[in-house]
Amino acid sequence: MERMETWREACLVPLERMKRVSDAMLHKMDVGLAETGTNLPMLPTYVTQQPSGKETGHYLTLDLGGTNFRIAYIQLSEEISKVALRREAKWNIPKENMEGTADGLFGLLAEAFKEFLDQLELDGIPLSRDKIVLAFTFSFPMDQNALNSGKLLFWTKGFNIPSCVGKDVVVLLADAMHRAGIHGVVIPAVLNDTVGTLAAAQYFDETAKVGVIFGTGSNAAYVEEMEKIEKMQGKDHHSKYMVVDIEWSDFYTAELPIMSFDRKLDEESLHPGKATFEKMIGGMYIGEMARNMLLELLGDDALPAPSPQGRKFLATNDAIGGEQVAAICALQDVLGEPLLALTESLGYDDEAIKKAGPVIQEIMFLVSRRAARLAGAALYSVLRKMGRVGGVRILPTIIAVDGSMFEHHRLFHEELIMSLTELVGPEAEKIKLQLSKDGSGLGAAIIAAVADLGAQ
Ligand code: BGC
C-alpha cells in the first residue's frame, strides 16, 4: 500500500504546510489588491456601506450559482434586524442551460421570474408592476465598476457558456426580462454569494466581517479599508471601506499537495487548468477525487476487482457525489448503508465488501481532511490579512459561513475548526464560524435596501 502511505502523508497537511499555503495566499492577496489579472483577483464589489439592521422595504432576489437557482420575495421589517416575510422558490438548471447559450440561461431565469411574480400576485402579495426592484446574486467572478454592473471574468463549477464571458450579467438579465415581456424591473445590485452571506450576517450582527462559502464551490469576501485597495486609487470613491471578493477558486501555489488524482480530475473537468484550489476543497469535486483515488487503487490491485458493471460505474465521471463522501465519513460502523450502496454499485460480494470497506472509508476521510485543512489555511490567511490574528492579541471575529460542505459534511466541519484552532493557537475560541444559512439571497435584498437608503 505504498500509494496509500503517500496519500496519507499528503492529505494530512501538517501545520507547517498549512502555514506555508497561508503565507502564499497572503502574499497573493497583497498582489491582488494592487494589480488586476492575478489568480487571486481580490475583486472590488462596490459594497461600501455596512447594513445596520434598520433597512426596510420589499425586494425580489435572484440567486444563481449552483445546480439550481432561487428567486425570493423578501420584506424587511421596520423593526430592527427583522425579516417580515420571505417567499422563495427553487428551480433546477438543466445541464444544457449550464453549457448552452446566454439567451438559453438568462431566458430560463426570466421565465421563472415571471412565473414567480404571477404566483405572488395570486397569493395576494402586493406588487407594483411599474417598478420591481431585483437584486441579483451571481456567484462567479465579476469585474465590477459599479454596484449595478459586473462583467463575467470566467465561469467556474458546472457552467460553461463562453459567449457570456466579458459581458455585463446585469445587462444579460435585464435584456432577458425584456424579451420575456416583464417590464419595470430595476436591478440596483449584482453581488457574489460570499458578499450576500456577509451582508446577511451583518444585518443581524454588525461585528461580522467575513462571508465564506464552503459548498459546491468555495470563496470568501471580507471588509477591506479602501486605501489598501491600491488598484482602486484614482477611481471616484469616497468611502472608507469596501467589501472585497477574494475569489480563491483559482488560487495556486506549489505548496498545495497536488497528487496524480488531482491532475486526472483537472484534465477531465469542464475547466482544465482553472480553479485549482476549488478543485481541492469544493463539494462539486470531492466525490471525483475519491473516485479517481479508487481507480488508482484498483490499478494496483489494492482493492478487490469489481464486476464489469462496477468497473463501468467507477469509470463514469461524477459517479460518486459529495453527499456520499460526507455520509460514508460519518459512518460509525464502516459497513453501514451509504458504504454498502457504493460497494453494491461496484458489484462486490460480502467478502470483497469486508476487505474494501475500510479502504474506501479511509479514502473519503483523506479527501475530506485535506479539503478542510486547506480551507482552514485559506480562512487563516483572511484573518491575517484583516489583522484579526498575528498581533499581540487575537481579535474576536465572526465569520459567516454557508454551503453544503460546512453544513452537512460533519468531518469537514470538525476538521476545519480543528485546523483553524491549530493555526490560530491558544485564543482560537475568539474566532467564531457561524452558519448563515441561505444568507446570500437575504444579503442581496439587504444590499439593495442599503443602496436605496443611500440614494434617498
Ligand atoms: C465562484 C465564486 C463563488 C463560489 C461559491 C466559485 O466557484 O468562483 O464566485 O463565490 O464558487 O459559490
Side-chain angles (χ1 to χ4, degrees):
M1 294 285 258
E2 211 178 294
R3 197 184 292 274
M4 271 305 252
E5 264 318 307
T6 316
W7 288 347
R8 276 186 197 119
E9 228 182 281
C11 293
L12 203 65
V13 200
L15 181 59
E16 283 314 310
R17 189 159 201 162
M18 284 198 289
K19 284 189 179 157
R20 291 200 301 272
V21 170
S22 168
D23 288 346
M25 190 176 263
L26 193 60
H27 170 68
K28 293 210 169 180
M29 283 176 162
D30 288 334
V31 177
L33 285 179
E35 294 170 14
T36 53
T38 67
N39 68 10
L40 197 76
M42 304 294 277
L43 302 168
T45 63
Y46 290 80
V47 172
T48 52
Q49 277 163 284
Q50 168 155 341
S52 61
K54 292 187 192 137
E55 294 71 24
T56 58
H58 56 262
Y59 299 91
L60 281 131
T61 64
L62 198 157
D63 196 332
L64 174 74
T67 45
N68 38 59
F69 67 93
R70 292 158 190 266
I71 298 176
Y73 170 84
I74 294 174
Q75 228 178 63
L76 303 173
S77 153
E78 297 285 331
E79 272 176 63
I80 296 273
S81 305
K82 187 161 178 226
V83 179
L85 182 65
R86 181 172 179 153
R87 283 287 172 87
E88 190 169 272
K90 199 161 102 175
W91 286 259
N92 213 351
I93 311 179
K95 198 165 161 31
E96 64 264 24
N97 289 111
M98 293 168 114
E99 296 182 40
T101 62
D103 285 358
L105 177 65
F106 285 89
L108 183 78
L109 302 180
E111 287 305 328
F113 192 66
K114 196 164 157 185
E115 205 181 287
F116 188 77
L117 291 182
D118 291 345
Q119 189 58 47
L120 284 182
E121 268 177 356
L122 282 177
D123 294 348
I125 294 180
L127 277 178
S128 149
R129 290 274 186 158
D130 297 338
K131 187 182 171 201
I132 301 166
V133 182
L134 169 65
F136 186 20
T137 306
F138 182 74
S139 307
F140 301 93
M142 281 178 285
D143 176 15
Q144 292 194 253
N145 57 25
L147 183 60
N148 64 354
S149 119
K151 289 188 186 138
L152 172 65
L153 285 170
F154 53 89
W155 287 110
T156 55
K157 296 174 277 199
F159 287 79
N160 192 19
I161 308 170
S163 62
C164 293
V165 176
K167 301 259 168 67
D168 187 340
V169 294
V170 174
V171 174
L172 291 178
L173 182 61
D175 286 353
M177 295 286 182
H178 220 75
R179 277 198 308 277
I182 316 163
H183 303 289
V185 177
V186 179
I187 308 175
V190 60
L191 52 131
N192 189 259
D193 50 356
T194 54
V195 178
T197 300
L198 172 59
Q202 288 174 328
Y203 180 70
F204 297 108
D205 181 342
E206 57 188 17
T207 65
K209 295 283 180 261
V210 188
V212 185
I213 303 287
F214 291 123
T216 307
S218 180
N219 185 21
Y222 74 106
V223 181
E224 183 56 283
E225 288 166 42
M226 191 68 101
E227 59 181 34
K228 296 209 175 132
I229 313 176
E230 266 181 69
K231 61 188 175 190
M232 285 291 293
Q233 263 159 35
K235 297 200 178 166
D236 181 32
H237 59 75
H238 316 281
S239 314
K240 238 176 140 221
Y241 300 96
M242 184 181 276
V243 174
V244 169
D245 168 9
I246 297 174
E247 273 302 330
W248 64 37
S249 61
D250 205 25
F251 166 67
Y252 171 79
T253 158
E255 291 298 340
L256 291 175
I258 295 177
M259 306 271 102
S260 49
F261 59 84
D262 295 305
R263 285 188 278 273
K264 179 161 177 288
L265 183 155
D266 179 53
E267 276 160 26
E268 292 173 358
S269 71
L270 199 55
H271 309 288
K274 296 289 285 178
T276 311
F277 193 57
E278 183 160 277
K279 283 173 182 160
M280 300 178 89
I281 66 172
M284 173 165 165
Y285 303 100
I286 198 148
E288 275 295 88
M289 293 174 215
R291 186 182 69 85
N292 283 312
M293 288 167 97
L294 294 176
L295 275 175
E296 282 194 38
L297 288 181
L298 264 185
D300 293 351
D301 292 325
L303 273 180
S307 65
Q309 270 311 97
R311 219 169 257 284
K312 239 187 186 165
F313 165 82
L314 209 56
T316 310
N317 287 94
D318 298 318
I320 301 177
E323 328 71 55
Q324 223 169 343
V325 175
I328 292 176
C329 283
L331 283 176
Q332 296 295 335
D333 172 7
V334 178
L335 300 183
E337 194 26 62
L339 188 114
L340 290 181
L342 180 56
T343 50
E344 193 178 315
S345 305
L346 294 171
Y348 282 161
D349 61 18
D350 286 354
E351 201 175 317
I353 291 176
K354 269 196 215 125
K355 213 170 138 204
V359 182
I360 295 178
Q361 192 183 37
E362 186 177 359
I363 293 289
M364 307 299 177
F365 283 160
L366 292 181
V367 288
S368 305
R369 185 165 296 143
R370 187 182 69 162
R373 292 179 72 80
L374 292 176
L379 279 188
Y380 185 55
S381 319
V382 184
L383 292 169
R384 287 167 79 192
K385 183 81 200 95
M386 298 175 77
R388 312 302 293 180
V389 301
V392 190
R393 352 195 53 143
I394 308 293
L395 303 177
T397 307
I398 292 180
I399 302 180
V401 193
D402 199 6
S404 52
M405 291 283 279
F406 185 74
E407 196 188 352
H408 302 301
H409 191 335
R410 205 170 65 209
L411 182 75
F412 174 88
H413 187 126
E414 287 167 4
E415 290 275 344
L416 174 68
I417 291 177
M418 258 151 55
S419 67
L420 212 52
T421 307
E422 267 176 61
L423 284 160
V424 175
E427 291 181 282
E429 76 284 352
K430 287 190 179 167
I431 310 293
K432 297 240 176 324
L433 298 188
Q434 184 179 288
L435 179 68
S436 173
K437 201 168 156 44
D438 299 334
S440 58
L442 174 61
I446 293 164
I447 285 173
V450 174
D452 244 13
L453 276 176
Q456 278 162 21

